[in-house]
Amino acid sequence: MPQLKAKSLEMRTPQATKTAVLVIGGAEDKVHGREILRTFVSRSGASNAYITIIPSASREPSIIGGRYIRIFEEMGAQKVEILDIREREQCEDPYIQASLEACSGVFLTGGDQLRLCGVLADTPAMDIIRQRVRSGQLTLAGTSAGAAVMGHHMIAGGGSGESPNRSLVDMATGLGFIPEVIVDQHFHNRNRMVRLMSAIASHPDRLGIGIDEDTCAMFERDGWLQVLGKGSVTVVDPTEVTHTNEPHVGATDPLNLHNLRLHLLSHGDRYHLYQRTVLPAVYRISS
Amino acid sequence: MPQLKAKSLEMRTPQATKTAVLVIGGAEDKVHGREILRTFVSRSGASNAYITIIPSASREPSIIGGRYIRIFEEMGAQKVEILDIREREQCEDPYIQASLEACSGVFLTGGDQLRLCGVLADTPAMDIIRQRVRSGQLTLAGTSAGAAVMGHHMIAGGGSGESPNRSLVDMATGLGFIPEVIVDQHFHNRNRMVRLMSAIASHPDRLGIGIDEDTCAMFERDGWLQVLGKGSVTVVDPTEVTHTNEPHVGATDPLNLHNLRLHLLSHGDRYHLYQRTVLPAVYRISS
């Protein structure tokens, strides 16, 4: 049966692949089952996949890019290349643009999310990725810093170990692939619940998504996200909040947030971004 | 005006004092405004207060007890004494029982909550405190370990920095003054959100109350709790939870909890233990 399944994946053309956006909490398994990275390759077209790796967040782009090249090649992708974009000007390079127009999967590595946004935001390369993701031609994955940039608002840094307050988190503008969400990564591993709640208090029109290490929130184009991997995806939903202190009060004053809704999701659980409904793994409709 | 208020407090007799249970997250201000400790003395009868300090949680009961004696005396309490209970047998001592029958306030210090429960649980001394608190004759306060023991189920220890799971928290039996709650203290200061959620997942008939340092959840006899101090009180309410994984699954598997309700409360906010309603400080009815 597993062989049959693998074969049917191989026979799919990239056009028939169901694209998705994989938001990975960092430190994903690169050695053993590699479920998350395997799913990325599969959603990029499996043996027909043409994957580009953008390591711009990293200060060691060749090393980190090289590691992912080997992994994706081992998994049977047809073509894998690094787009070593270090300067904004490179985003106008016709070769890079042609690669982004032709590929079936883009992988954003970890590193520094501010650096990644600084290089990519508002560039022709970025426009190509966004437009092709939106129209279902391209599967996108980002891990760690590559996950942080997914929302319109981005967490650039922050603290832990104190009472929630608005000054606890530093916000910036992300790449906006999924503008509705504010992503936080290495989530429970680095005790980031408080900074995500603080971010959501200042942006109550967004949804907080905290993703643990070796865990992925995979967003489908129909609005469902599904959890893959070994940890939790935490959803912080401020829709029903009845009271919060105003942003103009002291930024270090403790935060009020009354009637926050919170979901701890794990492998196989689904959550609908627009309906705000949650579906346990046991009721999963196979796709 | 402040003088008038102080005077009216002084004129109250202990009988007229509105008793309460003050659950303090540890490290309460002992030097400056001392709002929480001052409220404890006021609720114990102000200048008519007769306060007993139970330092049984601590390995240095004389030092910690001595510090609180000086503070409560400075605040004008009529009588303050340490009940230096180190062994269960002392809980049958007629002198200790007489003190507990006569006093208007009991203060449980920090230290080790297992030690405190080991000494006090199921003793005649404990029965006196519980019965007098219940009938509104006695104000009770506990800080840190003294706060942890308030519920029927007690958090004895636990971890942080990993995905929520049932093995992350060690539970024991508390002293049960407020059986409905599971208290966690030094809450955001020590990143304890995950262990409280894990505790609540295993006891979904209880309410999680996480209390930050220098912060107090003051429980009135009518079911309202009010927040005092400088940090947050976090309420984790599982009433509406639609799904959680069963306790019999692997204890280290990541926890599912769908539709948890969460409140971040701060100074002046109120929450009703039975109605599960929240009242922002701005709508506070003066008492």
Side-chain angles (χ1 to χ4, degrees), chain B:
Chain B
M1 283 298 274
Q3 275 180 325
L4 257 179
K5 201 172 174 190
K7 196 157 180 214
S8 81
L9 276 178
E10 275 169 34
M11 289 188 307
R12 282 187 196 168
T13 61
Q15 287 71 27
T17 303
K18 197 172 154 195
T19 64
V21 179
L22 286 83
V23 191
I24 308 166
E28 69 285 351
D29 175 10
K30 297 177 189 68
V31 178
H32 302 291
R34 307 192 288 199
E35 180 200 8
I36 295 168
L37 297 178
R38 201 172 288 279
T39 303
F40 167 66
V41 172
S42 163
R43 288 301 189 98
S44 299
S47 61
N48 292 311
Y50 170 12
I51 292 171
T52 60
I53 298 161
I54 301 181
S56 309
S58 175
R59 288 187 180 279
E60 294 182 316
S62 314
I63 295 171
I64 200 165
R67 187 158 191 203
Y68 283 110
I69 279 204
R70 283 191 295 280
I71 291 170
F72 297 144
E73 283 179 349
E74 272 175 38
M75 288 179 180
Q78 193 174 68
K79 184 175 176 183
V80 189
E81 67 181 337
I82 300 177
L83 301 184
D84 190 1
I85 307 173
R86 300 184 188 200
E87 306 293 337
R88 289 179 64 80
E89 296 71 50
Q90 291 175 266
C91 295
E92 311 200 6
D93 179 331
Y95 176 79
I96 283 173
Q97 293 189 25
S99 289
L100 291 173
E101 287 285 8
C103 69
S104 60
V106 167
F107 192 90
L108 306 173
T109 72
D112 175 353
Q113 54 262 47
L114 287 172
R115 190 178 149 82
L116 179 57
C117 288
V119 171
L120 275 192
D122 304 317
T123 63
M126 179 62 206
D127 289 342
I128 295 168
I129 303 171
R130 184 189 284 115
Q131 185 273 320
R132 295 193 66 221
V133 166
R134 197 169 289 170
S135 61
Q137 298 173 291
L138 188 61
T139 285
L140 173 68
T143 186
S144 192
V149 300
M150 291 291 178
H152 171 71
H153 297 292
M154 177 175 83
I155 296 178
S160 70
E162 55 183 286
S163 301
N165 64 81
R166 287 178 199 272
S167 71
L168 196 75
V169 63
D170 300 319
M171 301 301 295
T173 301
L175 295 180
F177 295 110
I178 310 168
E180 298 85 353
V181 302
I182 297 178
V183 171
D184 208 351
Q185 63 289 342
H186 302 281
F187 190 63
H188 288 300
N189 315 82
R190 296 187 188 171
N191 294 308
R192 288 178 164 174
M193 181 77 92
V194 163
R195 82 176 200 182
L196 183 58
M197 291 193 300
S198 300
I200 283 297
S202 295
H203 302 286
D205 56 332
R206 310 288 157 159
L207 191 74
I209 306 280
I211 308 174
D212 289 355
E213 293 178 358
D214 196 15
T215 308
C216 171
M218 181 167 71
F219 289 79
E220 309 282 358
R221 293 180 64 227
D222 61 5
W224 284 102
L225 76 82
Q226 179 183 334
V227 179
L228 306 174
K230 82 174 209 304
S232 301
V233 169
T234 304
V235 175
V236 176
D237 177 4
T239 312
E240 297 165 274
V241 163
T242 51
H243 180 74
T244 185
N245 37 12
E246 295 301 314
H248 59 74
V249 302
T252 58
D253 283 358
L255 193 63
N256 305 80
L257 266 176
H258 298 174
N259 286 300
L260 202 59
R261 195 170 283 276
L262 198 133
H263 308 281
L264 291 182
L265 310 179
S266 64
H267 192 89
D269 285 350
R270 292 180 178 217
Y271 183 82
H272 200 284
L273 191 54
Y274 308 113
Q275 298 167 6
R276 308 267 161 128
T277 48
V278 57
L279 204 59
V282 288
Y283 300 116
R284 185 142 67 108
I285 305 139
S286 68
S287 60

